[in-house]
Amino acid sequence: MSENPLRRLPKMDLLLARPALAGEGFPRAVLVRAARETLEEARRELLSGGLSGPPEADELADRARARAARLSAPHLRRVVNASGVVLHTNLGRAPLGMEAARAAYDAALGYSNLEYGLEAGERGSRHDHVEAILCELTGAEAAMAVNNNAAAVLVMLSALAGGKRAAVSRGELVEIGGGFRVPDIMARSGAALLEVGTTNKTRIADYEHAVLTRGAEVLLKVHTSNYEIVGFTQDTPLEELSALGRLHGLPLLYDLGSGALDREFLPGLRECPTVAGALRAGADVVCFSGDKLLGGPQAGIAVGKRTYIEAMKRDPMARVGRIDKLSLAALEATLRLYRDPAQAGARIPALAMLNAPAEALKARAEALAARLRLVLDGVCTVAAVPTEDKVGGGALPSRALSGWAAALTPLGGGVEELEAAFRAAPTPVVGRIHRDALLLALRTLSAEDEEAVVDAAKGLVGKAE
Ligand SMILES: *Cc1c(COP(=O)(O)O)cnc(C)c1O
């Protein structure tokens, strides 16, 4: 029986003194943690019988160095979204354009008049920075922004429906995702839920009944962004709800979720309800996300009647969900682009991607496929293929956007391995498997992203050699 191989593992300080680790480059604490974890790993391997003898000290030092590099790399990283889903919630929803990113950068590096009135030299309100432009763009009397739309809905309900009976269609008691369920958020806000109608049909008469016989004091409408009821259905139009609200003096509150500001900004998605349209139809308050169809930073925006918005600003929940200065700066910069529809369409990346015509995507897919074919010769076949892209962000779930992708079909090995290899690239590339091919959709790729895709492919064959 030979001596215990665990004893032959180098001591911590000896490992740390090996050339691979002794050099500069990583903070001491990172090196120590990497060395400790590497030794623990080697110990586990020896105990499980996976190794015949302890690894050489230099090999362990190399492993520890690689671990230190992993520990030092930022955890939140840029990835290439080749999924064709424009507002991909898991990949950060709307990418910001240059103007918005620069505004956030400037706000981050210095002080600002965030809550300071420069003219009077006194305390100001952070809502002031976007209120006027939101009113200008949507036709609202007043506006405010909070941290996200979930917060905007909570503030709206807390301020305007707290302690009151709010009528909501049974077909609109939805879960938006991430545990945000309309009945739960109502309960948290202190609003009492009055369910109206049925899952598939809710008529104005159902709401009238709720007002006249069940004491409804608020009308709430929720845009069921992420699911659709099809078939034998009926939905009560905002116009009818608004008339009912006016007749009885009740506010009509609308959680629009993924709001485009107005029709002209998304010519290809005319079926999509808009913020300005909802106000014109008579909603008293409309709330929507900053990083869905608006194409801005994470934010929740509420627009509508002045008295209601002012009550929302005073609500303690508005303080809980307040927007931070970086998002506010990016939001203002995004909104300013909307003053010129052509500029908005070109400079707000989400709008440009959503509006991209299929022919343009086809030409780009063919060019990218040709480049990838050269790199991946003998590994994959590469073709430009038509795809069905998605809006994402819980908007228009059944709406396909006709797009184009480079389709990579591996000659040997599985498509799952190919997909994983692109995901493991230095700049990870997230594509989509369809049948036996990996699709890299052009709609969601910037020019820079296309270079990253080609680099990822080069890295792949470099490894394979
Ligand atoms: C997305 C969505 C929300 C939540 O918005 P966030 O900005 O993600 O907080 C709320 N309501 C509806 C209808 C939505 O679509």
Side-chain angles (χ1 to χ4, degrees):
M1 196 62 201
S2 62
E3 64 153 325
N4 182 351
L6 291 178
R7 294 249 170 90
R8 304 210 326 261
L9 282 171
K11 290 269 174 302
M12 178 82 155
D13 40 357
L14 279 178
L15 182 58
L16 284 168
R18 304 308 296 185
L21 291 180
E24 76 296 1
F26 297 107
R28 173 90 190 155
V30 171
L31 286 175
V32 169
R33 179 173 161 195
R36 178 169 41 77
E37 290 178 358
T38 303
L39 286 171
E40 282 165 5
E41 185 184 65
R43 228 170 264 135
R44 275 196 305 275
E45 285 170 357
L46 283 168
L47 286 174
S48 69
L51 294 178
S52 49
E56 292 299 323
D58 280 327
E59 190 202 321
L60 286 171
D62 285 342
R63 281 204 220 166
R65 194 179 168 81
R67 191 179 277 271
R70 284 200 301 278
L71 287 171
S72 302
H75 199 273
L76 181 64
R77 294 196 287 157
R78 184 169 96 88
V79 308
V80 170
N81 174 11
S83 69
V85 180
V86 177
L87 303 170
H88 198 306
T89 296
N90 301 145
L91 303 182
R93 288 201 186 146
L96 293 182
M98 215 48 205
E99 288 79 0
R102 191 154 285 145
Y105 178 93
D106 288 341
L109 284 181
Y111 294 103
S112 59
N113 61 338
L114 181 63
E115 291 190 350
Y116 187 74
L118 286 172
E119 275 163 33
E122 329 174 311
R123 192 179 198 306
S125 159
R126 72 178 64 206
H127 299 298
D128 290 349
H129 306 292
V130 288
E131 179 155 26
I133 191 161
L134 280 166
C135 293
E136 176 191 317
L137 294 169
T138 63
E141 283 175 19
M144 66 185 290
V146 289
N147 179 52
N148 57 16
N149 189 42
V153 174
L154 181 62
V155 174
M156 175 173 78
L157 293 173
S158 169
L160 307 174
K164 297 190 174 153
R165 286 180 291 271
V168 192
S169 162
R170 285 203 167 84
E172 296 174 5
L173 295 175
V174 293
E175 171 168 328
I176 303 306
F180 182 89
R181 292 178 157 188
V182 172
D184 297 344
I185 213 83
M186 288 183 72
R188 290 295 175 106
S189 73
L193 168 62
L194 277 188
E195 296 185 24
V196 171
T198 61
T199 305
N200 58 329
K201 285 208 175 208
T202 305
R203 303 183 181 85
I204 190 66
D206 298 318
Y207 289 96
E208 257 163 10
H209 182 73
V211 173
L212 295 175
T213 69
R214 298 164 70 203
E217 297 159 283
V218 172
L219 305 174
L220 172 65
K221 190 161 180 65
V222 180
H223 182 222
T224 57
S225 348
N226 58 1
Y227 93 124
E228 281 164 19
I229 301 183
V230 294
F232 186 60
T233 64
Q234 185 172 348
D235 176 46
T236 307
L238 271 179
E239 286 84 351
E240 292 181 15
L241 278 175
S242 159
L244 179 69
R246 277 200 309 278
L247 187 63
H248 297 278
L250 312 181
L252 170 57
L253 313 181
Y254 186 25
D255 174 13
L256 174 59
S258 194
L261 280 186
D262 214 338
R263 289 263 176 272
E264 65 207 291
F265 299 113
L266 286 172
L269 295 171
R270 297 211 154 254
E271 69 269 46
C272 181
T274 68
V275 180
L279 290 169
R280 284 193 292 268
D284 293 309
V285 177
V286 180
C287 36
F288 57 102
S289 290
D291 54 355
K292 291 186 182 170
L293 288 173
L294 188 72
Q298 180 187 306
I301 299 161
V303 296
K305 292 255 161 62
R306 178 163 308 284
T307 51
Y308 296 137
I309 297 290
E310 292 305 325
M312 287 174 63
K313 287 181 187 169
R314 288 191 304 269
D315 193 272
M317 285 301 156
R319 174 64 184 81
V320 174
R322 87 176 176 191
I323 190 169
D324 79 291
K325 62 185 177 181
L326 309 190
S327 307
L328 190 58
L331 179 62
E332 185 192 357
T334 304
L335 292 170
R336 289 163 66 87
L337 292 171
Y338 272 99
R339 285 181 162 150
D340 175 353
Q343 207 183 29
R347 306 198 62 83
I348 298 174
L351 291 191
M353 290 175 188
L354 288 167
N355 288 329
E359 316 82 75
L361 297 173
K362 180 179 185 199
R364 286 174 56 202
E366 281 167 352
L368 181 63
R371 291 178 72 190
L372 291 175
R373 202 172 291 128
L374 290 178
V375 177
L376 297 173
D377 185 36
V379 180
C380 296
T381 61
V382 186
V385 300
T387 54
E388 294 198 340
D389 299 339
K390 291 275 178 208
V391 175
L396 307 171
S398 58
R399 176 67 145 82
L401 304 170
S402 49
W404 281 80
L408 280 51
T409 310
L411 294 171
V415 67
E416 283 84 10
E417 286 85 69
L418 184 67
E419 187 269 341
F422 269 94
R423 218 168 356 98
T427 301
V429 175
V430 179
R432 185 162 62 84
I433 293 176
H434 181 66
R435 305 231 169 86
D436 53 356
L438 175 65
L439 299 185
L440 303 174
L442 269 291
R443 184 181 299 277
T444 44
L445 298 184
S446 65
E448 194 186 335
D449 289 339
E450 288 184 40
E451 297 311 310
V453 168
V454 174
D455 288 345
K458 285 181 181 159
L460 216 86
V461 282
K463 267 186 227 142
E465 269 161 6

